[in-house]
Amino acid sequence: MPQGLERVIAVVNGKGGVGKTTISANIGGMLAASGYRVLLVDMDPQGNLAEELGYTGTDINDDGMALAQTLVFGSPAQPAVGIRENLDVLVGGSHLDMAAAGLTMKSQKDPMAAKTALAKALEPMAADYDMVFIDCPPGQETLQQAALAASRWALIPVKTDASSRKGLRDVARRLDAVVDINPDLDLLGVVLFGVNRSAKRVSETAREAIREDLGADAPVFDSMIRHAEAAAQESRERGLLAFELEEAVLAAPKWWELRRGAGQHDGPRSKSAVGVAEDFQGLGEEIVARITASESTSQVSAAGTGEK
Amino acid sequence: MTSGSTRRTLGGLTPKVPKQAGIDRLIKANRPDPSAAAGNAVQYERPAPSDNQLEITRETQQDTNSVTNKVPKYLQLKRREARIYDEQADALTVLARQINNQRKQPDGKTTGERITDNTLLRVAIDLLLERKEEIRGTTEQEIAANLGLEPRYLG
């Protein structure tokens, strides 16, 4: 694993709509708000990270043009700086479709160069960040491979339905293609996304099914991200992350204040934002704890074997 | 639909989503060690366990989830690949799962260490080597028959 890429996390699943972008944005944004320096890499040609973070339609959004050039021609990566405090983004979008085509052509001549395109781009800059999250596309094999080749960890969101579990198989296949050049890639964990909190048996069955596939010691996160349609819609409409929406909801005037004419309110109203923000906070804490535990174990092992 | 027919029982039907074989390679610890040299000769003499190995065994007996600074067990073992029959692979996985289920205690905790297909294969090799005097034959089927096993044939 190249120096500096030890904290790169690919948020990946072969299936769409399982929460990859929402998790990348919210965990990245929350860690940035906590003081971590975070880089988000949007490798998805759909570019939905822009909606999550609210920079759609701004000058920042080049629809993935710069990132595509970096991947295909090797030009230095130029993150959009300061999307939030401590949060930079390599912006994705439809130009990544062309990048995928370019990388596929490149891979016919030099497979290694295509797979390591993102790793090479991140290498000079990754050490400037405490965490790097890559929002992977659901399809686009070449882009997924490039993301996994650049990552130390894979974070896999799944829904409780069986079809999103099938996405695990696709990730395993992508892993096979890059494990020779990135043997350090490991599963950080599987997180259940879009869970109905009242259907406990459904989420437990899904957990069991994941353990059945991955083994009894499978790293399944205790934290789950609940399904809250109103909060999700309001988040995207306003370009606010869950914890930002939570803050806005809690700061809004109370109904009795509005009733007596003590204030006006056209801000967010989704009370469920509070629960969603708590879920993301729990997941963020688990992610940090797992990486910290892994790093301290590696340090002790390296010290024991005299490695430096 | 005919009325009065006996309703078919649901027990024993194959689940709609069977176990997805090979997905566990997403976890680094389940993948073969790339640094292990392939093609080495089989070690017939069982190596004496090192102090380190003994410590790991004791540790895992107490708490399977503890974070240890020791070299993982799988990294201390030699990697060997073998081609086996489909039924053998399936039966081995089922057996490993059964043994793992037995590790669960009534209070919900799990004792011992994770038993994998490889764990059972190591024990099976030792079992075979214990009886090496009885191994006779010029084909796999002959060797199996001489050990009192039903010979297997492909196809």
Side-chain angles (χ1 to χ4, degrees), chain B residues 24-87:
Chain B
D24 62 350
R25 66 186 182 272
L26 283 167
I27 301 170
K28 189 181 170 193
N30 293 337
R31 296 199 296 266
D33 175 17
S35 63
N40 288 344
V42 177
Q43 299 276 316
Y44 284 109
E45 293 301 325
R46 194 192 320 185
S50 66
D51 290 344
N52 202 9
Q53 274 175 304
L54 285 173
E55 265 184 62
I56 284 174
T57 312
R58 282 188 213 111
E59 205 168 72
T60 50
Q61 278 169 351
Q62 288 158 8
D63 183 0
T64 54
N65 296 321
S66 65
V67 177
T68 169
N69 57 8
K70 305 290 189 311
V71 179
K73 184 176 176 180
Y74 78 96
L75 282 179
Q76 300 178 54
L77 298 168
K78 185 181 290 291
R79 174 171 168 74
R80 292 287 303 167
E81 278 196 29
R83 294 193 175 272
I84 61 176
Y85 294 91
D86 279 347
E87 308 93 274

Side-chain angles (χ1 to χ4, degrees), chain A residues 37-185:
Chain A
R37 293 163 303 163
V38 177
L39 174 68
L40 296 180
V41 183
D42 187 0
M43 285 287 275
D44 192 341
Q46 294 178 82
N48 289 336
L49 198 60
E51 288 176 43
E52 297 277 351
L53 292 166
Y55 58 80
T56 315
T58 67
D59 291 344
I60 292 167
N61 192 4
D62 68 351
D63 221 9
M65 173 69 93
L67 181 55
Q69 288 175 342
T70 297
L71 293 171
V72 180
F73 304 118
S75 56
Q78 293 172 330
V81 178
I83 297 289
R84 300 282 195 283
E85 195 178 355
N86 298 321
L87 181 68
D88 300 346
V89 177
L90 283 174
V91 176
S94 60
H95 289 288
L96 290 176
D97 274 327
M98 284 185 283
L103 286 179
T104 306
M105 283 173 64
K106 193 186 253 190
S107 70
Q108 287 163 1
K109 287 182 184 169
D110 185 355
M112 180 75 92
K115 288 177 188 173
T116 56
L118 182 62
K120 283 191 176 139
L122 292 179
E123 214 178 320
M125 59 193 300
D128 296 337
Y129 297 95
D130 297 311
M131 293 271 203
V132 179
F133 291 90
I134 306 174
D135 179 24
C136 295
Q140 292 288 18
E141 184 173 350
T142 332
L143 295 178
Q144 279 190 7
Q145 283 181 7
L148 289 172
S151 302
R152 169 68 179 83
W153 300 104
L155 168 63
I156 305 183
V158 295
K159 285 192 166 178
T160 50
D161 63 305
S163 64
S164 73
R165 271 177 51 226
K166 286 182 187 165
L168 291 173
R169 188 176 50 205
D170 295 320
V171 181
R173 262 194 236 118
R174 306 281 186 264
L175 178 137
D176 285 342
V178 300
V179 77
D180 54 336
I181 56 173
N182 184 13
D184 291 327
L185 177 63

